[in-house]
């Protein structure tokens, strides 16, 4: 029996595992890097051990430190969560060699599935359909997909639509895979346009392999999942049964024990599916299976690790949808975001579950994955689950860091999604960045600021905000995105074309085109956060005085996010065309190219590979070339 469990992971998944342990009466041990010391999961654990440093290589990827932490705290078992060392056979062996219980499959199973190339051969031998990779790709084979043999999460994956691009994309994929997984091995396979990503949940037990249904994980950006659901919508029943049988065959082929997921690419036009990979761990999207099957997959993992038999109901009940809330900007090519969450509140209950790794006041760094939380909704039908999830997300209050929340709400309310038209190309073909700009948000922000200023007065508090003896011009509130002009006085506020129903420092009610809308306003320094049924708007006030030292030189290339410089593509004095790569940054385990904004000459290079940079830092300067007469 497991008495004290160390989770060799962080944030959301660590907190998720701790919740099951508390219910079962198992003590918990957290490990944390310096960057994660204040996250909620550290406080939730019975014991916590610091892993010095901030990078994964210094902390969560140090098998020796993790096992030492287990011994020091008296833990008798280790759960790897997902990511990091969860699919590392050497780590699993080290845990077992230390006399600890490993909550996961046998190291041999991890090894067999750890290489996607070797795994495909095992599956082919077991009769599971696989995609055949062309030995010598030709034009007729396009498009192709370059994939990392180790790891997942979209790292080391590149779509190739021209043979001329194949070699450079292979090199980029190798570099990204080497950085993310320590293994630069990649392979090439056919790319199925508008395919669906459907995966089968299996649990290998002493009595055989249980199949707990399937999940559709087709909505992705950059080959990383965004929305997942169970059961998969619109599958022919015969195909569903065939997928389950293939998942069982895959697990049986390697004598699998514990929770695992067999991933397939489903070609809806041909009604055919192909093996992609097997994840020998708990999946991020496991809650949707838990909600429709009435099981706790972490509890099943612990039971199998203890050598006990498990029994679950074969019935599927209702529908569940999960949305991954990321710290990223969908409107800027999903650039990762970082900073302090000044407010982080997501409503739960009524069929809504939130698995979060962060809370109000938490610091979001760029050292790790960009996911803040998973929001999951269950309902008797798919349509009601989508409506319930969209409503919960729209009512969330998330301040301080830009997220994909509004995009998620738009997707969940999109008629195509509601009609079951899901595929891996959904977001590429139907870019959904969120609601249109709300003209009322800056007005609400300006009036709330005026009310705050009035409330802060120590004299003449009864004088209305913006009142003047001689009215000559409107008041002006300047934000980086524009200026709001308004009039104040004894008759209340006046803004052109907008009726101001009421205004306080925290809430402003406006009427626009005969539609009344309430806006909640929160202020943090120069930043004003506005929430309403129309969505979320973050505004930044323009300070009255700007330090000349903060001025950005013309042609300056700014770091779009905090990160590490992994490559400088040009030298000082080089001539570049608009769009040419100048530097490559790595943040949140993804690489981002910083390109020249104009054609010209590189006059400054201010960083070197390996340098840590802050958001907004001037990395280089490109002096625009003068037009020839």
């Amino acid at each position: 029996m497991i008495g004290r469990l160390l989770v060799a992971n962080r944030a959301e998944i660590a907190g998720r595992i701790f919740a099951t342990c508390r219910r079962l009466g198992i003590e918990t041990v957290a490990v944390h890097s310096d960057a994660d010391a204040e996250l909620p999961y550290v406080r939730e654990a019975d014991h916590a051990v610091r892993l010095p440093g901030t990078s994964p290589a210094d902390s969560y990827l140090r098998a020796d430190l993790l096992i030492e932490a287990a011994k020091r705290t008296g833990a008798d078992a280790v759960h790897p969560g997902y990511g990091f060392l969860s699919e590392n056979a050497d780590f699993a062996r080290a845990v077992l060699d230390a006399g600890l219980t490993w909550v996961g499959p046998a190291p041999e199973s991890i090894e067999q599935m750890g290489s996607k190339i070797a795994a495909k051969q095992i599956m082919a031998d077991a009769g599971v359909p696989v995609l055949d990779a062309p030995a010598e790709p030709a034009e007729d084979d396009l498009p192709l997909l370059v994939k990392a043999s180790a790891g997942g999460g979209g790292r080391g994956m590149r779509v190739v639509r021209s043979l001329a691009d194949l070699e450079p994309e292979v090199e980029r994929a190798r570099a990204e895979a080497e950085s993310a997984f320590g293994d630069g091995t990649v392979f090439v396979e056919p790319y199925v346009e508008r395919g669906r990503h459907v995966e089968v949940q299996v649990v290998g037990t002493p009595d055989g392999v249980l199949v707990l249904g399937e999940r559709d994980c087709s909505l992705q950006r950059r080959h990383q999942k965004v929305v997942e659901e169970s059961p998969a919508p619109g599958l022919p029943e015969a195909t569903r049964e065939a997928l389950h049988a293939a998942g069982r065959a895959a697990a049986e082929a390697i004598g699998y024990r514990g929770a695992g997921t067999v991933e397939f690419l489903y070609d809806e036009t041909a009604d055919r599916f192909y093996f992609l990979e097997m994840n020998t761990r708990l999946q991020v999207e496991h809650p949707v299976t838990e909600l429709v099957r009435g099981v706790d997959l972490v509890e099943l993992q612990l039971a199998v690790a203890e050598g006990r038999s498990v029994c679950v109901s074969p019935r599927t009940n209702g529908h569940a949808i999960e949305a991954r809330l990321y710290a990223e900007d969908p409107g800027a090519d999903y650039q990762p975001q970082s900073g302090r969450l000044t407010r982080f509140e997501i409503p739960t209950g009524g069929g809504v579950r939130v698995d979060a790794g962060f809370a109000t006041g938490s610091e979001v760094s760029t050292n790790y994955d960009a996911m803040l939380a998973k929001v999951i909704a269950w309902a008797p039908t798919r349509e009601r689950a989508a409506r319930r999830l969209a409503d919960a997300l729209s009512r969330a209050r998330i301040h301080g860091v830009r997220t994909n929340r509004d995009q998620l709400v738009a997707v969940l309310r999109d008629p195509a999604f509601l009609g079951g038209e899901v595929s891996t190309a959904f977001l590429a073909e139907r870019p959904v960045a969120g609601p249109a700009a709300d003209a009322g948000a800056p007005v609400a922000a300006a009036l709330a600021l005026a009310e705050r200023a009035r409330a802060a007065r120590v004299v003449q508090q009864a004088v209305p905000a913006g009142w003047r003896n001689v009215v000559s011009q409107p008041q002006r509130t300047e934000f980086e995105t524009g200026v709001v002009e308004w009039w104040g006085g004894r008759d209340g506020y006046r803004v052109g074309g907008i009726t101001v129903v009421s205004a306080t420092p925290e809430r402003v009610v406006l009427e626009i085109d005969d539609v009344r809308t309430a806006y909640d306003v929160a202020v943090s320094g120069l930043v004003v956060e506005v929430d309403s049924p129309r969505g979320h708007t973050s505004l930044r006030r323009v300070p009255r005085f700007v330090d000349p030292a903060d001025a950005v030189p013309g042609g300056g290339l700014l770091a779009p996010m905090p990160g590490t410089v992994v490559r400088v593509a040009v030298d000082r004095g080089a001539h570049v065309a608009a769009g040419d790569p100048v530097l490559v940054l790595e943040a949140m385990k993804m690489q981002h190219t910083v390109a020249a904004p104009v054609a010209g000459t590189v006059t400054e290079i201010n960083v070197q590979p390996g340098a840590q940079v802050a958001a907004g830092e001037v990395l280089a300067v490109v002096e625009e070339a003068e037009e020839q007469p």
Side-chain angles (χ1 to χ4, degrees), residues 200-203 209-214 243-245 247-249 293 312-314:
V200 176
Q201 176 68 60
V202 298
V203 179
V209 176
L210 298 174
V211 175
L212 301 181
E214 80 290 337
L243 276 165
H244 293 182
R248 178 178 284 106
R293 297 304 292 258
V312 299
S313 169

Side-chain angles (χ1 to χ4, degrees), residues 26-369:
I26 298 173
E27 289 188 54
T28 56
V29 180
V31 291
H32 66 86
S33 68
D34 291 336
D36 287 343
E38 300 302 321
L39 290 190
Y41 82 98
V42 179
R43 299 191 296 270
E44 294 167 3
D46 295 307
H47 311 276
V49 178
R50 172 183 175 241
L51 304 175
T54 57
S55 74
D58 293 334
S59 52
Y60 303 108
L61 293 176
R62 286 284 302 273
D64 56 335
L65 296 182
L66 296 169
I67 293 173
E68 179 188 347
K71 291 180 176 178
R72 284 167 52 195
T73 56
D76 53 7
V78 173
H79 193 304
Y82 51 69
F84 297 127
L85 296 175
S86 63
E87 294 180 282
N88 186 301
D90 291 337
F91 179 53
R93 285 197 181 93
V95 170
L96 294 169
D97 290 345
L100 304 170
T101 297
W102 168 251
V103 184
E108 293 74 21
S109 295
I110 298 175
E111 279 180 333
Q112 287 176 294
M113 294 295 101
S115 166
K116 294 182 177 66
I117 299 172
K120 278 192 170 188
Q121 187 58 54
I122 294 172
M123 293 301 107
D125 294 342
V128 178
V130 300
L131 275 172
D132 295 323
E136 295 291 336
E139 290 290 340
D140 290 343
D141 298 315
L142 296 172
L144 298 168
L145 183 64
V146 183
K147 295 179 68 174
S149 182
R155 287 100 189 177
M157 294 179 68
R158 303 274 174 164
V159 177
V160 178
R161 301 186 183 277
S162 166
L163 289 180
D165 295 334
L166 180 58
E167 186 173 343
E169 292 292 16
V170 165
E171 291 306 313
R172 292 188 185 99
R174 279 178 178 156
E176 200 165 79
E178 180 67 38
S179 174
F181 316 120
D183 183 348
T185 305
V186 299
F187 65 98
V188 178
E189 67 182 16
Y191 180 62
V192 178
E193 299 276 13
R194 290 174 293 281
R196 287 176 59 181
H197 188 130
V198 182
E199 59 190 31
V200 176
Q201 176 68 60
V202 298
V203 179
T205 77
D207 303 317
V209 176
L210 298 174
V211 175
L212 301 181
E214 80 290 337
R215 300 182 285 258
D216 190 298
C217 308
S218 300
L219 257 72
Q220 303 177 7
R221 92 289 187 255
R222 290 182 168 178
H223 309 293
Q224 288 184 297
K225 300 167 187 174
V226 177
V227 176
E228 305 102 339
E229 57 185 308
S230 182
L235 278 185
E237 196 56 36
T239 303
R240 195 184 311 274
E241 293 175 0
L243 276 165
H244 293 182
R248 178 178 284 106
E252 290 176 344
I254 59 173
Y256 194 78
R257 294 291 181 269
T261 299
V262 187
E263 301 194 359
F264 296 95
L265 182 65
Y266 176 51
D267 185 346
E268 195 167 22
T269 58
D271 193 23
R272 298 182 62 183
F273 60 84
Y274 308 93
F275 171 83
L276 286 177
E277 62 183 342
M278 183 173 185
N279 292 304
T280 54
R281 53 170 168 78
L282 198 64
Q283 287 281 83
V284 176
E285 57 271 19
H286 74 273
V288 294
T289 295
E290 294 184 324
L291 292 179
V292 298
R293 297 304 292 258
V295 299
D296 182 329
L297 285 170
V298 174
E299 182 177 0
L300 296 186
Q301 286 185 296
L302 296 171
V304 172
E306 292 176 335
R308 295 187 283 114
S309 297
V310 299
C311 181
V312 299
S313 169
R315 295 183 57 189
T316 297
N317 179 29
H319 200 95
I321 306 177
E322 172 182 290
R324 299 192 192 189
L325 188 65
Y326 287 111
E328 65 185 17
D329 184 357
D333 196 26
Y334 299 99
Q335 285 182 359
Q337 306 291 300
S338 63
R340 184 172 297 279
L341 288 164
T342 55
R343 188 177 182 186
F344 193 68
E345 300 170 1
I346 306 173
T348 59
V352 176
R353 162 178 163 180
V354 176
D355 289 6
F358 296 81
T360 297
S362 295
E363 188 75 26
V364 180
S365 78
T366 56
N367 295 294
Y368 316 110
D369 187 84

Side-chain angles (χ1 to χ4, degrees), residues 441-503:
V443 174
L447 301 188
L449 287 171
E451 285 295 303
R452 283 173 60 90
R454 185 182 66 81
R457 295 177 190 160
V458 294
V459 296
Q460 297 183 325
Q461 290 186 340
V463 176
W467 182 81
R468 287 174 172 165
N469 282 322
V470 179
V471 179
S472 60
Q473 59 185 337
Q475 301 282 352
R476 291 168 53 88
T477 304
E478 188 174 1
F479 300 106
E480 290 182 347
T481 53
V483 176
V484 176
E485 294 188 343
W486 53 273
W487 305 79
R490 298 188 184 280
D491 297 328
Y493 293 103
R494 289 182 292 119
V495 183
I498 297 175
T499 300
V500 181
V501 179
S502 63

Side-chain angles (χ1 to χ4, degrees), residues 480-537:
E480 290 182 347
T481 53
V483 176
V484 176
E485 294 188 343
W486 53 273
W487 305 79
R490 298 188 184 280
D491 297 328
Y493 293 103
R494 289 182 292 119
V495 183
I498 297 175
T499 300
V500 181
V501 179
S502 63
T504 72
E506 291 82 28
R507 190 174 178 85
V508 176
V509 180
L510 304 176
E511 195 170 284
I512 305 174
D513 295 330
D514 297 325
V515 177
R516 186 169 295 190
T517 304
Y519 295 85
D520 294 326
V521 183
V523 180
S524 178
L526 293 175
V527 177
V528 186
E529 309 279 6
V530 184
D531 291 285
S532 78
R534 300 176 185 269
H536 171 256
T537 303

